[in-house]
Amino acid sequence: MKSRLTASHPLAQVWLAALWMALLANWPLWTRLQSVPEIHGVRGLVFTAAFAGMVTVATAALLSLLAWPRVIRPLLVVLLLSAGALAHFIGSYGIVFDPTMVVNLVQTDVHESRDLLSWRLLASIALLGALPAWWLLRQPAAPAQRPARRAGFNVLSFVLAIAAMLLLALSMFADLSSTMRNHKTLRYMITPLNGVYALSAAALRGQAAPSGPPAVVGADAHLLPRAQGAKPPLLLLVVGETARAMNFSLNGYAQPTNPELAALPVVSFRQVASCGTSTAASLPCMFSPLGRDAFADAKGPQENLLDVLQRAGLAVLWLDNQSGCKGLCDRVPNAHASRPPEGAPPLPDRLCDGDECLDEALLHGLDRRIAALDAQQLARGLVLVMHQMGSHGPAYFKRSPPELKRFQPECRSNALQQCPPEQVVNAYDNSIVATDRLLARSIAWLQTQAGRFDPGLLYVSDHGESLGENGLFLHGMPYAMAPREQTQVPLIMWLPEGGGLAASLEPGCLTRLSKAAASHDNLFHTAMGWVGARADAYKAEWDLLAGCRRRPASG
């Protein structure tokens, strides 16, 4: 008996699902295409229709080879639900889904995920995913068919789909090649093919990564001799989160987002490029000695700045107020801001809501945490890293306490696209004011340590943020096509005027240097130079302090 292609047939389900996802779950893609200046009017509509046909047949081709009764239905349910979620995030925030975004997703904790939940997300999953999945699951089982015959139909469906895709591509080749070349983000918006590609690429990278301990960096790490009577260094390295340089009034921004730092003798670097556009990409890169270009080509995990400083003999402590250190602090003492040290009073209610705390909690019980470190290492110096929650979105309004909400009205929703643009900016700027106070209070704490250490502060954010510019929100764009809002980050230094490090630098040199271009590539080497540590991985030309050192007087 000949089998008919009814709704219960696996291939029919494949083509129907492909058509549904291509036409409906890709609404952000079709909307974006209409804004592309090269294709507008009737020509743009024809191109969009042909491109939709390509997406449909490409999806059907991929799924045709998997169109087996016990496989295809569960797979389609997962793809439909995923397509509904992707349509929401791409359409609402303008994000793209690539392998880096998969890493971000895997490393996101429950608190960050909670901020992304909304009724719009649930509605998108329900209408674009759950509704067709419910219809699919109600279909009767496919009639029995010999495996060889079913395989033949699957291959035939695949071949026909590929042929149709090629014909469509050739029919609009000029527009297609130009559009894909000039608007590379579009390729990461094609749902669900973007998800399949990103998950596959991330999995392959994970499989290719060598197992075992990280490669040793700076095996010869040591401390330079300290002058007689000189105090050991104390470097407080504050790693910001999602702070973009252009919203710091220290850098010329119109709104006074740095009221407390403006009254302190800090140096703000205005042209600093990040390693990546996400925490997962930037954090390991900025603590590496390799620099962004070489880090991208590195094979397997390597030790980082914290390992090298600890090997040199310094005390190292990582304090986190976010989703973790991405493996950087695994081999050094570390703690989370939400859990006070033993013997310290509990965190005030104003600082914490459950396990999520404002960044000021990083300073709570700090002296007790330091007292618990190795005394011999402390005698040589201390590097303390504070990893902020900073301006993590989309719930920017959660990142600042009521008394620091200087800019009103602010967006009090995680659905940023529903708020007026100025309210989104106000909520974000209030989070920068909260960072300003954290840094000012950190400096005040450092000043209390001046009797024991030679203190200093270095602040740098991991990446920037889009606040609706060109339809983009949040971060995580592929670096090559990311806007400057996501790649330009603040970098701020504070050194007490009477300190030993400040005395070793030419007066005014750092202020002049702050106008030059810098990047995350400088962090490892600047921190090494700051605390007087050396290793074969250290590059003086990447040390922001090296060019400002006083030359010894000639005798």
Side-chain angles (χ1 to χ4, degrees):
M1 180 182 294
K2 294 183 180 179
S3 63
R4 293 182 300 163
L5 198 62
T6 64
S8 63
H9 196 288
L11 282 175
Q13 294 170 0
V14 160
W15 281 90
L16 288 171
L19 188 63
W20 178 278
M21 289 186 285
L23 298 185
L24 298 180
N26 275 291
W27 68 262
L29 174 62
W30 310 137
T31 303
R32 181 71 63 85
L33 271 178
Q34 296 310 303
S35 67
V36 172
E38 297 95 311
I39 47 171
H40 57 276
V42 175
R43 182 178 180 181
L45 292 175
V46 172
F47 175 84
T48 301
F51 195 65
M54 282 189 63
V55 173
T56 301
V57 295
T59 304
L62 176 67
L63 295 174
S64 291
L65 298 178
L66 302 172
W68 297 87
R70 294 186 179 181
V71 174
I72 196 60
R73 236 191 273 207
L75 177 61
L76 289 178
V77 168
V78 171
L79 285 177
L80 286 165
L81 294 174
S82 301
L86 286 172
H88 167 75
F89 289 117
I90 295 173
S92 297
Y93 300 114
I95 65 169
V96 298
F97 199 76
D98 64 346
T100 300
M101 191 62 71
V102 172
V103 177
N104 296 337
L105 184 64
V106 170
Q107 296 186 358
T108 297
D109 66 14
V110 65
H111 302 107
E112 295 173 345
S113 300
R114 187 173 58 199
D115 288 342
L116 294 170
L117 298 178
S118 68
W119 288 111
R120 289 170 65 94
L121 169 61
L122 295 178
S124 182
I125 294 175
L127 294 175
L128 296 177
L131 182 63
W134 173 80
W135 177 87
L136 181 66
L137 293 173
R138 286 178 56 86
Q139 300 308 306
Q145 194 175 31
R146 293 195 305 273
R149 184 178 178 82
R150 193 175 296 279
F153 277 116
N154 291 355
V155 171
L156 178 61
S157 176
F158 171 80
V159 171
L160 291 176
I162 293 297
M165 185 175 66
L166 292 175
L167 287 174
L168 287 169
L170 290 173
S171 70
M172 55 171 184
F173 183 77
D175 284 339
L176 180 65
S177 60
S178 173
T179 302
M180 291 296 104
R181 181 175 62 253
N182 297 329
H183 305 277
K184 296 179 181 178
T185 57
L186 293 174
R187 68 188 67 177
Y188 298 109
M189 297 176 65
I190 303 172
T191 302
L193 298 179
N194 53 357
V196 173
Y197 162 73
L199 288 169
S200 302
L204 289 173
R205 289 178 189 176
Q207 290 292 327
S211 57
V216 174
V217 172
D220 62 335
H222 60 281
L223 297 176
L224 296 175
R226 204 162 59 231
Q228 185 70 27
K231 297 172 185 175
L234 166 52
L235 170 59
L236 174 51
L237 173 56
V238 181
V239 179
E241 167 63 35
T242 320
R244 62 189 207 176
M246 63 185 66
N247 285 61
F248 276 58
S249 55
L250 289 176
N251 297 333
Y253 184 56
Q255 296 210 106
T257 52
N258 302 127
E260 297 190 48
L261 289 179
L264 296 171
V266 298
V267 176
S268 180
F269 288 68
R270 299 191 175 197
Q271 301 182 58
V272 182
S274 66
C275 272
T277 61
S278 68
T279 304
S282 277
L283 211 56
C285 175
M286 63 198 287
F287 277 76
S288 164
L290 299 177
R292 191 177 76 84
D293 294 336
F295 184 82
D297 298 328
K299 305 299 182 184
Q302 295 186 338
E303 291 182 344
N304 62 82
L305 173 65
L306 306 184
D307 297 297
V308 177
L309 294 175
Q310 184 169 253
R311 182 174 293 119
L314 296 171
V316 178
L317 174 62
W318 178 287
L319 293 180
D320 211 290
N321 191 36
Q322 228 214 90
S323 58
C325 64
K326 315 305 179 190
L328 294 175
C329 64
D330 289 352
R331 295 167 296 279
V332 303
N334 60 85
H336 198 276
S338 63
R339 295 182 287 276
E342 185 176 351
L347 284 160
D349 291 339
R350 66 179 180 82
L351 288 183
C352 295
D353 178 14
D355 290 334
E356 186 170 334
C357 298
L358 294 171
D359 285 328
E360 194 179 335
L362 290 162
L363 296 170
H364 186 77
L366 196 51
D367 291 333
R368 287 183 178 271
R369 295 190 192 277
I370 293 172
L373 298 175
D374 182 88
Q376 290 185 336
Q377 291 178 326
L378 280 173
R380 302 185 193 102
L382 168 63
V383 175
L384 172 61
V385 184
M386 291 182 176
H387 185 203
Q388 284 185 269
M389 179 62 79
S391 302
H392 197 286
Y396 305 124
F397 66 95
K398 292 183 178 181
R399 310 299 172 227
S400 57
E403 69 272 17
L404 294 185
K405 295 186 180 296
R406 299 169 60 98
F407 310 112
Q408 294 294 335
E410 69 170 1
C411 177
R412 298 196 54 86
S413 169
N414 57 4
L416 300 177
Q417 70 282 1
Q418 293 183 319
C419 290
E422 62 274 10
Q423 292 187 18
V424 174
V425 173
N426 282 343
Y428 181 84
D429 284 351
N430 287 334
S431 73
I432 300 298
V433 175
T435 289
D436 177 79
R437 184 167 76 172
L438 172 72
L439 297 179
R441 292 191 173 182
S442 297
I443 290 172
W445 174 80
L446 285 169
Q447 289 172 328
T448 68
Q449 306 297 308
R452 180 182 179 188
F453 295 102
D454 181 18
L457 178 140
L458 173 60
Y459 163 80
V460 62
S461 184
D462 58 353
H463 55 79
E465 185 87 330
S466 289
L467 299 178
E469 299 88 357
N470 300 313
L472 297 179
F473 291 92
L474 306 182
H475 53 267
M477 290 286 288
Y479 198 90
M481 58 189 76
R484 63 187 297 269
E485 289 85 0
Q486 296 188 27
T487 61
Q488 295 297 301
V489 295
L491 189 154
I492 296 169
M493 291 184 184
W494 172 81
L495 293 170
E497 294 181 1
L501 180 56
S504 71
L505 304 178
E506 294 286 348
C509 180
L510 283 180
T511 301
R512 294 191 298 272
L513 186 63
S514 67
K515 297 177 176 61
S519 73
H520 278 165
D521 293 358
N522 300 112
L523 179 62
F524 178 99
H525 310 277
T526 301
M528 290 279 287
W530 192 306
V531 297
R534 293 293 185 271
D536 55 4
Y538 169 78
K539 295 180 180 178
E541 64 271 23
W542 285 6
D543 178 355
L544 294 176
L545 301 176
C548 290
R549 302 265 182 193
R550 293 179 186 269
R551 292 193 178 95
S554 55

